[in-house]
Amino acid sequence: MLITQLKPKEDLLSFISGEKVFILQCYGCAEVFLPKEEINLFLEELNNSGTLIVKNIISDYLCNYEYTKLRINLWAEELKKSEKIVIFSCGIGVQVVSTILNQVSSISHQSPVTSHQIYPGCDTLYLNGFQGLTPFNFDCAQCGQCFLNYTGGICPLTSCAKSLLNGPCGGAKNGKCEVAGPAGIVMDCGWEKIYKKLETIGRLDILKEVIKLRDYSKR
Amino acid sequence: MELKELFAKGKFVVTSEVGPPKGWQIEKTLEEAEILRGKVDAINVTDNQSSVMRFGALATCHFLKDRGFEPVFQITCRDRNRLALQSDILNAAAFGIENLLLLTGDHPLLGDHKDAKPVFDLDSVSLIHTVKKLEDGSDLAGNKLEGEPPKFCLGAVVSPCAEPLEPQLFKMEKKIKAGAEFFQTQAVYEVDKFVKFMEKVKNFGIPIMAGIVILKSVGMAKYMNENVAGVFVPDNLIEELKKDKEKTKSGQTGIEIAARLIKELKPYCQGIHLMPLGWNDKVPAILSQAGLI
Ligand code: SF4
């Protein structure tokens, strides 16, 4: 869909090394750019380092919500066996999968697959003139420093009117943002959504961790 | 004097605020400050409040300092990127401004330049972090500062009556971790809610100044209930404002309500912050009715 690059290896390894991981790669817009070779090299390294790759799926267009939902149901068994899920796609792919996984787990009464187990494997970079194909309500700001692992799979840049990175501004009233979004559509406060999501999956601790700063040299 | 020194001495700290004018003639604002002389510990100066373009907060603070007031320089992240923010913070140090209040800021769409670019390069938490770095002798990018690093007392804000409260609390904790040394709150009208909030933040061990906004009219109360985040004026106060139209118009009802709120809140917090929104002349009466002067 968009141009992506592998996240820093140290970041990825600190998240998954020694765990059972489910790998999901999206080749949907691979013709645009997905760092396939680097991903494969990384997976080889992982294999040799004692991390168990439960399954390595290559899929098309994770951003296609309905299609991805059907496919995820097929992998239920393997997902159950996995401790961490790493998604090599653009930010939309990660957002879609993280949304679906939370729903799937409630439908099929499995142990909940929670988005704290999900990690974006790539940072999505800005690609001039190419705005993505997703017809759904997910938006990736192509910031080059994907924050989705930290915000429960909800993008703080596109879901918050001020693109805040460290929590809500105090301007939300009755769950609504202090300003209307594009075309005057009233939007829900993105940070209240992020908070609720992390509360549901029992990972509010992540929010308190670090002070996040945007790196505009990446976009 | 840094506000934290007053808190450390166990003083119940009182601050009020002035808003700079839309224009460059600052005399009227300075006169408003004169009304507060000797009655409050410090005076906040708002930064393009409500995203409405005005005379600058930094220059106003400078004028106040020159006249022997203790200003609290409010800095929002709405209009400046990290270079300009750091630069203004250094300017403040040179002017001898010791207290900062660091906020995210309202969105430009709420103000009078709706087509302005919303900056928000930093947010309240990373802004506090930035000042801390300057105090440690380097800028945000890690470059060393020349000479003495600046020293400030860092304030932040929290909305104690917000619903839901939890997202506010985690951000508050983050601000404290980043280096906030005191808090001023959004306007409080519900004492019971505030008391519950104070119960929850007790172990943060940080001085909190309850926010007081003078109620000017029934319309204002209703407007805030509908539009201002984290502010709820209960029905009994609205009834009180309705009862005696003349008294409310003259400001008497607002003064009485504010003084009563202060008395009720005082046992639970370390100070109060008045936001008179132009009604500075009512502040002395409020403070004396509340028994603070
Ligand atoms: S109200 Fe929520 S979504 Fe709107 S700017 Fe504030 S934190 Fe962001």
Side-chain angles (χ1 to χ4, degrees), chain B residues 161 187-191 213-215 220 224 231-234 237 261:
Chain B
C161 302
V188 178
Y189 295 101
E190 301 154 292
V191 178
V213 169
I214 311 170
L215 289 171
M220 173 191 179
M224 288 201 292
V231 178
F232 303 91
V233 185
L237 294 186
L261 281 169

Side-chain angles (χ1 to χ4, degrees), chain A residues 68-107:
Chain A
T68 303
K69 196 166 173 175
L70 288 175
R71 298 213 57 190
I72 279 182
N73 278 312
L74 299 176
W75 311 320
E77 276 309 305
E78 288 90 346
L79 279 168
K80 233 158 110 182
K81 285 187 207 131
S82 312
E83 289 158 340
K84 297 279 159 86
I85 303 158
V86 180
I87 304 168
F88 295 96
S89 74
C90 73
I92 304 274
V94 182
Q95 290 178 54
V96 169
V97 174
S98 124
T99 307
I100 294 170
L101 279 178
N102 280 282
Q103 297 169 350
V104 168
S105 58
S106 57
I107 296 168

Side-chain angles (χ1 to χ4, degrees), chain A residues 29-65:
Chain A
C29 303
E31 60 278 9
V32 177
F33 188 61
L34 182 82
K36 281 187 196 165
E37 250 169 59
E38 281 174 60
I39 293 171
N40 287 331
L41 276 175
F42 175 74
L43 293 181
E44 255 172 54
E45 267 179 56
L46 254 191
N47 229 343
N48 300 334
S49 74
T51 303
L52 177 70
I53 298 182
V54 178
K55 190 127 188 129
N56 179 8
I57 297 277
I58 292 175
S59 177
D60 260 357
Y61 296 106
L62 287 180
C63 56
N64 186 331
Y65 187 89

Side-chain angles (χ1 to χ4, degrees), chain B residues 151-219:
Chain B
K151 267 266 150 272
F152 297 103
C153 172
L154 305 188
V157 295
V158 65
S159 199
C161 302
E163 282 173 6
L165 182 61
E166 284 67 28
Q168 285 290 314
L169 293 181
F170 100 76
K171 184 141 187 194
M172 181 180 180
E173 215 177 324
K174 233 172 151 169
K175 288 178 182 179
I176 296 170
K177 265 195 205 151
E181 294 166 294
F182 70 92
F183 279 82
Q184 290 181 335
T185 80
Q186 175 63 288
V188 178
Y189 295 101
E190 301 154 292
V191 178
D192 48 335
K193 250 196 199 172
F194 183 79
V195 172
K196 277 193 200 128
F197 161 82
M198 288 305 291
E199 212 23 67
K200 287 201 172 121
V201 300
K202 209 168 47 194
N203 50 3
F204 291 167
I206 195 148
I208 292 171
M209 308 175 72
I212 302 284
V213 169
I214 311 170
L215 289 171
K216 296 181 180 175
S217 64
V218 176

Side-chain angles (χ1 to χ4, degrees), chain A residues 150 161-181 191-192 194-196 199 204-216, chain B residues 82 104-107 109-110 118-126 129-130 140 159 163-164 166-168 170-171 173-174 177-178 186 224-232:
Chain A
Y150 155 79
K162 297 173 188 165
S163 294
L164 301 178
L165 295 179
N166 293 295
C169 71
K173 185 123 182 152
N174 304 322
K176 301 291 175 204
C177 175
E178 70 178 27
V179 297
W191 269 99
E192 288 194 5
I194 292 170
Y195 187 89
K196 263 187 224 141
E199 190 176 38
L204 287 171
D205 57 309
I206 324 181
L207 284 181
K208 293 178 193 157
E209 265 171 25
V210 263
I211 295 167
K212 293 280 181 190
L213 268 173
R214 182 83 186 267
D215 179 354
Y216 279 93
Chain B
R82 59 191 85 179
T104 299
D106 292 328
H107 198 284
L109 279 168
L110 301 184
V119 179
F120 305 111
D121 181 22
L122 300 181
D123 58 27
S124 50
V125 175
S126 47
H129 168 74
T130 303
L140 188 57
S159 199
E163 282 173 6
E166 284 67 28
Q168 285 290 314
F170 100 76
K171 184 141 187 194
E173 215 177 324
K174 233 172 151 169
K177 265 195 205 151
Q186 175 63 288
M224 288 201 292
N225 280 351
E226 262 158 48
N227 300 296
V228 181
V231 178
F232 303 91

